[in-house]
């Protein structure tokens, strides 16, 4: 049974599904794959020494016996927990991180790292763009300089006067990377005119079909983002129900809802100011499960990898009614008044031009009536130098 948890501690206890008991992400437990154990087994199989692998296998068999599955609270799995198995391994592998989490908790105050953004004072087109994120000027997870570059905005605002032919870029904390979004259509959102954007398909392609994604280790099927290097476990992000991914990924999982465009991530942005009006981020976290013969309980799995959904994460936000009204009063009303003034000035200019044109025409006609045109008399003779010496007036 699929359950949706609202991670808002002011409203969580009022959140109900089909009239059932309140859903509390801190107290409610569920069973899923053992993220820490599968992560360690995968990484040591790929790059560990024989001594490290032997130590991890021995530890997994002792009192801290590890299995393919674990039972933890919803909050722990999404926002992180300290794993005892990893803590013990950390003694022999000091660089190992013993904390496991799928998403950053944006409500937690982090005073140990600093992020920096551009003010747009020198170049308004760079307004709000990151120059440093969580203390990093370059992301340490990715293969190429281009992939490791920190750019894009937080997604709350963009440079003004958006161009529909160009993409906008956000830095997505959960994906540890900048992510472009492409224009979909003009829309009206919360009574405001907006541009609607979505994640383009090429962002989710593997490195074969989009060589730019080689820097993100995109060596799996289309439709997945490889987060292994960032979270130290074989976790892959996708759109819900593997939207825009290769069909076999969904065919292997029973119970997934059919994929459709309503599952995509969308932003609605007011194009003149670049202000975010509404946002809906939708991601699916998937664990890659495959045979790892050296580790207990993982040697009996099939050889070819299977990507199994762990959770769907939906984040929504945007302007409330008061902010929309303030936006209209402070931005749209002055803009409309300015446009009215421009039309009035244009009308006055047209009127003045018309008056001057009319007066000029009258002046020309008056001059024409009072003028004398001289033509030669019939039979007049040419004077000296070939000029006629007799004229009549008309």
């Amino acid at each position: 049974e699929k359950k949706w948890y609202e991670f808002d501690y002011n409203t969580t206890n009022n959140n109900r599904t089909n009239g059932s008991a309140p859903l509390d992400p801190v107290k409610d437990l569920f069973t899923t794959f053992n993220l820490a154990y599968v992560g360690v087994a995968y990484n040591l199989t790929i790059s560990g020494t024989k001594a490290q692998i032997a130590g991890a296998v021995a530890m997994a068999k002792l009192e801290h016996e590890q299995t393919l599955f674990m039972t933890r609270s919803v909050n722990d799995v999404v926002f992180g927990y300290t794993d005892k198995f990893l803590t013990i391994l950390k003694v022999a592998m000091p660089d190992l991180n013993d904390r496991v989490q799928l998403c950053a908790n944006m409500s937690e105050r982090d005073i140990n790292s600093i992020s920096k953004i551009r003010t747009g004072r020198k170049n308004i087109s760079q307004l709000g763009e990151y120059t440093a994120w969580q203390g990093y000027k370059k992301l340490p997870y990715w293969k190429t300089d281009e992939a490791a570059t920190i750019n894009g905005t937080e997604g709350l605002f963009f440079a003004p006067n958006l161009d529909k032919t160009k993409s906008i870029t956000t830095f997505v904390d959960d994906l540890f990377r900048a992510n472009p979004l492409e224009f979909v259509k003009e829309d009206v959102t919360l009574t405001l005119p907006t541009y609607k954007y979505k994640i383009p398909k090429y962002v989710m392609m593997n490195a074969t079909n989009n060589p730019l994604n080689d820097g993100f280790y995109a060596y799996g099927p289309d439709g997945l983002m490889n987060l292994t290097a960032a979270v130290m476990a074989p976790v892959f992000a996708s759109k819900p129900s593997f939207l825009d991914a290769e069909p076999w990924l969904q065919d292997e999982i029973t119970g997934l809802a059919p994929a459709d465009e309503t599952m995509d991530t969308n932003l609605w942005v007011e194009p003149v100011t670049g202000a975010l009006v509404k946002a809906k981020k939708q991601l699916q976290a998937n664990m890659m499960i495959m045979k790892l013969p050296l580790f207990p309980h993982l040697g009996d799995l099939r050889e070819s990898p299977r990507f199994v959904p762990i959770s769907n994460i939906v984040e929504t936000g945007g302007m409330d009614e008061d902010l929309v009204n303030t936006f209209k009063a402070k931005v749209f009303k002055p803009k409309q008044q300015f446009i009215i003034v421009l039309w009035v000035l244009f009308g006055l200019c047209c009127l003045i031009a018309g008056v001057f044109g009319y007066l000029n025409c009258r002046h020309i006609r008056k001059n024409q009536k009072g003028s004398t045109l001289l033509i030669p008399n019939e039979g007049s003779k040419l004077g000296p130098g070939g000029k006629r010496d007799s004229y009549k007036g008309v």
Side-chain angles (χ1 to χ4, degrees):
E1 180 188 357
K2 181 182 289 186
K3 297 181 179 180
W4 290 98
Y5 286 85
E6 183 175 341
F7 291 90
D8 181 342
Y9 294 104
N10 295 321
T11 60
T12 289
N13 291 329
N14 297 321
N15 185 18
R16 296 173 180 270
T17 302
N18 299 324
S20 61
L23 302 177
D24 190 334
V26 177
K27 296 180 179 179
D28 290 358
L29 304 178
F30 82 112
T31 299
T32 186
F33 290 103
N34 188 339
L35 304 179
Y37 180 51
V38 174
V40 165
Y42 178 81
N43 282 294
L44 290 181
T45 299
I46 298 296
S47 58
T49 64
K50 291 182 178 181
Q52 289 175 332
I53 293 174
V57 170
M59 194 63 64
K61 292 178 178 179
L62 295 176
E63 55 184 292
H64 302 282
E65 181 180 357
Q66 299 297 302
T67 63
L68 186 57
F69 299 97
M70 67 176 185
T71 300
R72 286 194 170 272
S73 74
V74 176
N75 192 78
D76 281 352
V77 173
V78 174
F79 290 131
Y81 63 94
T82 300
D83 188 88
K84 293 182 179 179
F85 177 63
L86 296 183
T87 301
I88 294 174
L89 289 180
K90 192 176 176 68
V91 175
M93 293 179 276
D95 293 335
L96 185 67
N97 186 356
D98 60 356
R99 185 166 177 80
V100 181
Q101 66 184 89
L102 294 179
C103 298
N105 189 345
M106 303 304 291
S107 64
E108 288 184 350
R109 186 182 181 189
D110 185 356
I111 60 175
N112 296 317
S113 59
I114 297 175
S115 297
K116 297 180 180 180
I117 63 172
R118 298 184 186 274
T119 63
R121 183 172 61 89
K122 294 182 178 180
N123 186 349
I124 192 63
S125 66
Q126 296 178 335
L127 176 66
E129 291 187 354
Y130 277 108
T131 60
W133 174 79
Q134 298 292 304
Y136 295 116
K137 292 186 177 180
K138 283 279 189 179
L139 297 170
Y141 319 112
W142 307 122
K143 181 179 177 181
T144 63
D145 284 342
E146 185 176 6
T149 298
I150 297 171
N151 55 22
T153 75
E154 188 180 7
L156 297 178
F157 54 89
F158 301 88
N161 299 315
L162 295 176
D163 185 344
K164 289 185 287 188
T165 65
K166 297 179 179 179
S167 62
I168 59 176
T169 303
T170 62
F171 189 91
V172 185
D173 296 55
D174 298 337
L175 301 177
F176 305 92
R177 60 185 281 185
N179 194 72
L181 295 104
E182 66 181 4
F183 173 82
V184 178
K185 65 176 183 177
E186 293 186 23
D187 209 346
V188 176
T189 309
L190 303 177
T191 71
L192 296 175
T194 57
Y195 287 176
K196 181 180 179 181
Y197 292 86
K198 72 171 185 177
I199 299 176
K201 291 183 179 180
Y202 68 82
V203 172
M204 312 290 289
M205 290 180 178
N206 61 30
T208 301
N209 294 322
N210 182 4
L212 292 177
N213 285 338
D214 179 74
F216 299 109
Y217 304 103
Y219 305 134
D222 282 342
L224 298 179
M225 291 182 175
N226 186 357
L227 305 183
T228 303
V231 301
M232 300 305 295
V235 175
F236 290 71
S238 70
K239 297 180 180 181
S241 290
F242 297 110
L243 175 67
D244 293 339
E246 295 183 21
W248 68 266
L249 291 168
Q250 188 180 63
D251 293 342
E252 288 207 330
I253 306 299
T254 301
L256 283 181
D260 63 68
E261 62 180 12
T262 62
M263 297 177 174
D264 212 340
T265 291
N266 294 118
L267 297 185
W268 289 264
V269 185
E270 198 286 311
V272 177
T273 62
L276 178 71
V277 177
K278 180 182 175 183
K280 189 172 186 179
K281 181 174 74 176
Q282 303 187 85
L283 295 173
Q284 178 175 292
N286 310 280
M287 174 73 82
M288 183 178 71
I289 302 299
M290 61 185 296
K291 186 173 184 177
L292 301 172
L294 298 177
F295 289 84
H297 308 292
L298 301 179
D300 298 328
L301 301 177
R302 74 179 192 185
E303 294 281 354
S304 59
R306 174 182 284 130
F307 298 89
V308 183
I310 302 172
S311 65
N312 280 4
I313 300 166
V314 179
E315 295 181 22
T316 59
M319 296 184 180
D320 57 20
E321 185 177 353
D322 290 339
L323 189 54
V324 168
N325 292 333
T326 301
F327 192 84
K328 287 181 176 179
K330 300 295 184 181
V331 178
F332 276 16
K333 189 174 180 180
K335 177 186 172 185
Q336 291 169 348
Q337 291 173 342
F338 177 71
I339 292 174
I340 292 172
V341 169
L342 287 180
W343 278 109
V344 170
L345 291 174
F346 178 73
L348 286 174
C349 290
C350 291
L351 179 61
I352 292 171
V355 169
F356 272 102
Y358 173 74
L359 292 176
N360 190 45
C361 288
R362 288 196 61 185
H363 179 70
I364 293 173
R365 290 175 61 189
K366 183 177 180 180
N367 288 342
Q368 287 177 342
K369 286 182 179 180
S371 63
T372 299
L373 178 62
L374 299 178
I375 62 174
N377 284 323
E378 294 180 3
S380 61
K381 298 180 180 179
L382 291 175
K387 296 182 180 179
R388 296 186 182 272
D389 55 5
S390 177
Y391 295 87
K392 64 179 180 180
V394 179

